[in-house]
Amino acid sequence: MPFLDQALALPGASFALQALASLAAILALAWLARKLQLGGDPRIQGEDHAHALAEEALCGFDAQAIAVDRAGIGAIARDAAGRILLIRQHGSHFAARELVSLAGVRLDGRFLTLSTDDRRFGTITLDLGDQAQVWVASLRRLGAARP
């Protein structure tokens, strides 16, 4: 290995070798994270995906109507009993909360801004397009449906 000894004797060679080894390690870790599906930017893929997320969040919640945000960051779902469920990204997973009052509902054109009683859930603005006005009209019945 006289060649390696000579290469390491050069002042910049050891630095270059270290940088190359570091780059290889970073690429290996990135490949492993991708293979294990860590991190990423999860999106709701469509109504079927939103339906499965709603069922997973509330056992027995059978969504009859679903609207998914155009970017896939959240969704709103209603079941036969009139319960409304909000679904949103939470890190690399999804979180869901039931909407029980109209206090946090605001319509701005095609954007529907919603918040629940759970302050940790935060506020979500969904781009529902033409469906935004339909959902706001149906949400007005939310307060009347509960005793």
Side-chain angles (χ1 to χ4, degrees), residues 1-2 57 91 96 123:
M1 297 251 193
T123 300

Side-chain angles (χ1 to χ4, degrees), residues 13-33:
S14 64
F15 177 73
L17 196 57
Q18 267 185 329
L20 189 61
S22 294
L23 180 62
I26 290 169
L27 291 174
L29 287 174
W31 175 82
L32 182 63

Side-chain angles (χ1 to χ4, degrees), residues 62-128:
D62 184 24
Q64 302 296 311
I66 296 174
V68 178
D69 176 78
R70 289 182 181 200
I73 62 167
I76 185 169
R78 178 177 45 254
D79 70 357
R83 296 183 299 174
I84 303 293
L85 190 67
L86 299 179
I87 305 166
R88 69 172 301 162
Q89 284 180 320
H90 182 72
S92 62
H93 300 286
F94 292 95
R97 297 291 187 276
E98 188 175 350
L99 184 67
V100 294
S101 75
L102 294 173
V105 177
R106 190 175 72 243
L107 176 66
D108 184 20
R110 64 184 197 180
F111 297 99
L112 185 59
T113 302
L114 304 149
S115 61
T116 66
D117 293 341
D118 184 356
R119 291 170 50 139
R120 295 172 297 156
F121 187 74
T123 300
I124 183 167
T125 300
L126 303 174
D127 180 358
L128 301 179

